[in-house]
Amino acid sequence: MTTDRAGRAAQAPPERTGPLTWVQRLWLPDAPDRQIASHEDNQFRELSLAVPLEPGSARRAVREVLARHEVLRSRIVGLGAEALQAVDAVEPGYEQVLRSVDLDGWEEAVSEARRTSFRLASQWPLKVLTGTREGKVRRVAVVVDHWASDGLGVLALLDDLASALDARARGADWVTAGPVEQPIDLALWESATPAGAAHLGRARTYWRQQFERLARDLADYRPAPVEEPPPGRAPLCFPGCTMTSVRLAEAANAVAERLQVPVAAVYLAAFSSAVGAAERVGVVGTLMLSANRLTPAAMRSVRNAVMSAPVVLAVSRPGGFAETVVRAAAQQTQAFRYANADHRLTGGIADEVLGDLRDSAVTSAVFNFMPEAALRGDRVPDIARLAPFDVLEPMPPRATAAARMFMVVLRQDRVTLTLRWREDTSWQHAAEPMVRYLVDLITHEATPGAEVPRYGG
C-alpha cells in the first residue's frame, strides 16, 4: 500500500486483533515485512464473467467478499511468539487490493501480480485484477499469499467472488452460502478453551508415539552426512523432477477400488516404500500434509488450513504392497485428525525423541496429495502438459521448498508426480530410481503376475 488512502487505512485502528492460529504460526515468515517469503507459493485463480459488469459493480462485489473474510484484510502485528493478527476495516483499504487492467495487457499484469512478495505487516495478503474491454469487466483474477490461504481456501474465495459478481450482474442482493470460520475465532478456540487444550494434548500424544516408534525402529540407521556449503556460496536451490501418466492413474484407482481405500493411500504407501528402499531401512516416517477443514464453516473459509502429521509405515516387503496400502489408509485417518497442533510443541517433541534423525530422509519427507477438487481453475504447468506420458522430466529449480517433498496431483484422466529436494540432499541422485520404483509398485499391484518390482531394477 503506497497511496495516501492506503496509509490512512494502515494507521486506522483495526476492527479487532487476536492471536494467530497454529497453522498461521507454522507458515508465517520470520520477517513478514521484509519480502523474505517466496512468491512461488502464492495462490492464484481466475474466472471469466458470463455477463460483463460495470467496474463499479465489480468493485462492490469485491468489497462484499472482503467484508465476509477477515483473513483477506488482516495484517501481522509483532514478531515471533508475540505476533498477532489485526483485522482492518473494509473501508477505505479495499480499493487498494484492486487493479483494473485492459485485457490487451492481461497476461503481463497477471504474471506481475503472481510474483508479489506480500509485506504482511503492512499489506493485505490479496490482489484482485479486473480485466476490462470496452469499459466492462470481463475477467477477474485473485492472488493470495500462502500464509493467508491454501488451495482449498482460494477455491472458497473464488466461489464467493463468482457468486457476488453474479448477484451484481442480476441486480440482486448477494446471498452467501452460510457462515465462515474466521481465523481469530479459531485461534481463540485453540489457545483459550478447554476443548482446544484437550485436542492439543491428544495430538501431542499421537506425535510422540509416532516419533518414539521411529526412534526405536531406526536405532541403527545413520543419515548420510551433509557437506557444509563453502563460505559465500549462492543459496541452495530446490531442483525437481516430474512425471505425468494416464496408466499410473488407472492402476492406482484400480488398487484403491479393490482394497476399498482412498487412492491417496496407494501413492503414500508407494512413496514410503520408495524412500525406504533408497535409504535401505525397514520403516519410514513421512509428514503427510493435511487440510484441516472439519466443519461446513471451515470448508467455506479462505484461511490456510494446511498442516502435516507423521505417518509411520514399515517398508513394503516383496509381494506385500497391498498390506502397506491398507496400513497407510488407516494411518491417514489418524494423521488428518491430529495434524492441527502447535508446531512449536510438536517440533520440540521431534527434536527430543529423534535427535540426529530429526531432518533425515526417513523422518522428514513431505507427502502432499492434491485431488482434482482442489485444483479447479488451476492451469497445468507447461512442463507437465507437454511432456510425453511416463517420461520423467527435470523441473526448473525453485528458490524455496521443503528439503524433500513428493506431490501427487490427481486429475480426472491422469496423475502428475513431482519430487522436489534441496540440492545438498541424497535425493539429488536417488530421485529418478525412487519415482520409477513407486510407479512399478503400483502398476504391479494393479496387474500382478510379472516379476515383483525391485528398487533400481
Side-chain angles (χ1 to χ4, degrees):
M1 295 183 180
T2 57
T3 68
D4 291 341
R5 180 190 290 259
R8 290 197 302 272
Q11 293 170 11
E15 285 188 338
R16 63 173 180 154
T17 60
L20 301 181
T21 66
W22 294 329
V23 176
Q24 288 173 321
R25 291 191 181 279
L26 174 64
W27 293 105
L28 183 66
D30 292 334
D33 213 28
R34 296 181 188 170
Q35 298 198 41
I36 289 178
S38 171
H39 68 270
E40 294 168 313
D41 291 323
N42 284 346
Q43 299 294 313
F44 168 76
R45 292 293 187 278
E46 64 178 299
L47 55 88
S48 297
L49 305 189
V51 179
L53 271 180
E54 294 291 339
S57 295
R59 286 196 299 271
R60 287 189 288 275
V62 172
R63 186 195 184 285
E64 290 177 309
V65 172
L66 282 167
R68 177 167 163 81
H69 296 285
E70 291 183 348
V71 69
L72 297 176
R73 45 193 172 89
S74 294
R75 293 173 293 107
I76 303 302
V77 179
L79 295 173
E82 305 303 318
L84 300 172
Q85 52 187 317
V87 180
D88 293 325
V90 179
E91 301 280 1
Y94 87 95
E95 291 204 9
Q96 301 310 308
V97 306
L98 277 162
R99 179 185 172 192
S100 179
V101 179
D102 187 277
L103 282 179
D104 289 339
W106 179 252
E107 295 298 333
E108 181 180 350
V110 165
S111 178
E112 179 185 350
R114 295 187 69 170
R115 293 196 302 270
T116 302
S117 289
F118 290 92
R119 292 180 173 269
L120 297 173
S122 58
Q123 184 180 15
W124 293 357
L126 171 71
K127 284 185 177 293
V128 181
L129 302 183
T130 55
T132 61
R133 179 158 289 154
E134 298 176 350
K136 295 291 185 70
V137 175
R138 299 173 186 269
R139 298 182 79 176
V140 177
V142 292
V143 177
V144 191
D145 187 272
H146 186 57
W147 169 84
S149 183
D150 59 33
L152 292 177
V154 78
L155 288 181
L157 167 60
L158 192 69
D159 286 343
D160 275 354
L161 187 55
S163 177
L165 290 166
D166 178 66
R168 286 292 171 186
R170 292 183 288 105
D173 292 335
W174 180 34
V175 179
T176 61
V180 298
E181 178 186 84
Q182 305 292 1
I184 288 180
D185 297 331
L186 175 62
L188 291 172
W189 177 89
E190 291 172 341
S191 63
T193 69
H199 169 81
L200 181 58
R202 291 190 294 270
R204 291 174 68 181
T205 298
Y206 166 78
W207 283 69
R208 180 173 290 278
Q209 289 173 341
Q210 294 291 80
F211 290 145
E212 286 178 345
R213 179 188 169 188
L214 277 174
R216 180 182 66 250
D217 292 350
L218 293 170
D220 297 328
Y221 173 74
R222 294 294 178 268
V226 177
E227 295 183 7
E228 291 293 329
R233 69 150 289 167
L236 293 171
C237 67
F238 297 80
C241 60
T242 187
M243 172 189 287
T244 296
S245 177
V246 171
R247 69 180 183 94
L248 179 62
E250 293 172 343
N253 287 338
V255 173
E257 184 175 352
R258 175 165 56 83
L259 299 177
Q260 296 186 317
V261 298
V263 71
V266 179
Y267 293 103
L268 173 58
F271 175 59
S272 296
S273 293
V275 173
E279 297 292 329
R280 301 179 181 180
V281 296
V283 65
V284 171
T286 300
L287 295 173
M288 187 187 77
L289 287 183
S290 162
N292 301 291
R293 299 179 182 275
L294 305 179
T295 67
M299 287 298 296
R300 291 187 290 264
S301 176
V302 171
R303 73 174 179 89
N304 191 327
V306 173
M307 299 193 82
S308 63
V311 171
V312 179
L313 291 174
V315 175
S316 176
R317 56 182 174 77
F321 181 63
E323 180 182 353
T324 306
V325 172
V326 173
R327 290 180 176 176
Q331 283 211 39
Q332 280 181 311
T333 301
Q334 292 287 81
F336 282 127
R337 185 178 182 186
Y338 294 124
N340 193 42
D342 189 337
H343 76 284
R344 294 168 297 182
L345 299 178
T346 56
I349 295 172
D351 289 336
E352 172 196 345
V353 176
L354 295 177
D356 292 342
L357 294 174
R358 171 74 161 88
D359 297 316
S360 68
V362 296
T363 64
S364 67
V366 177
F367 173 81
N368 188 11
F369 179 80
M370 296 288 287
E372 179 77 25
L375 299 162
R376 177 161 41 91
D378 196 17
R379 295 175 176 174
V380 181
D382 286 345
I383 194 168
R385 187 173 63 250
L386 301 178
F389 288 144
D390 302 335
V391 173
L392 202 61
E393 295 282 343
M395 294 285 283
R398 282 181 51 134
T400 61
R404 300 173 183 86
M405 182 172 181
F406 179 61
M407 176 177 285
V408 178
V409 177
L410 183 62
R411 299 184 183 276
Q412 289 183 350
D413 62 344
R414 71 198 67 180
V415 65
T416 298
L417 311 178
T418 301
L419 203 63
R420 287 277 184 191
W421 60 89
R422 199 176 61 212
E423 61 179 326
D424 64 339
T425 69
S426 60
W427 285 18
Q428 187 75 12
H429 305 291
E432 180 174 345
M434 285 169 54
V435 173
R436 296 199 182 283
Y437 181 60
L438 70 89
V439 170
D440 288 344
L441 283 173
I442 295 172
T443 52
H444 178 269
E445 189 62 35
T447 55
E451 183 179 354
V452 175
R454 299 194 179 277
Y455 177 77

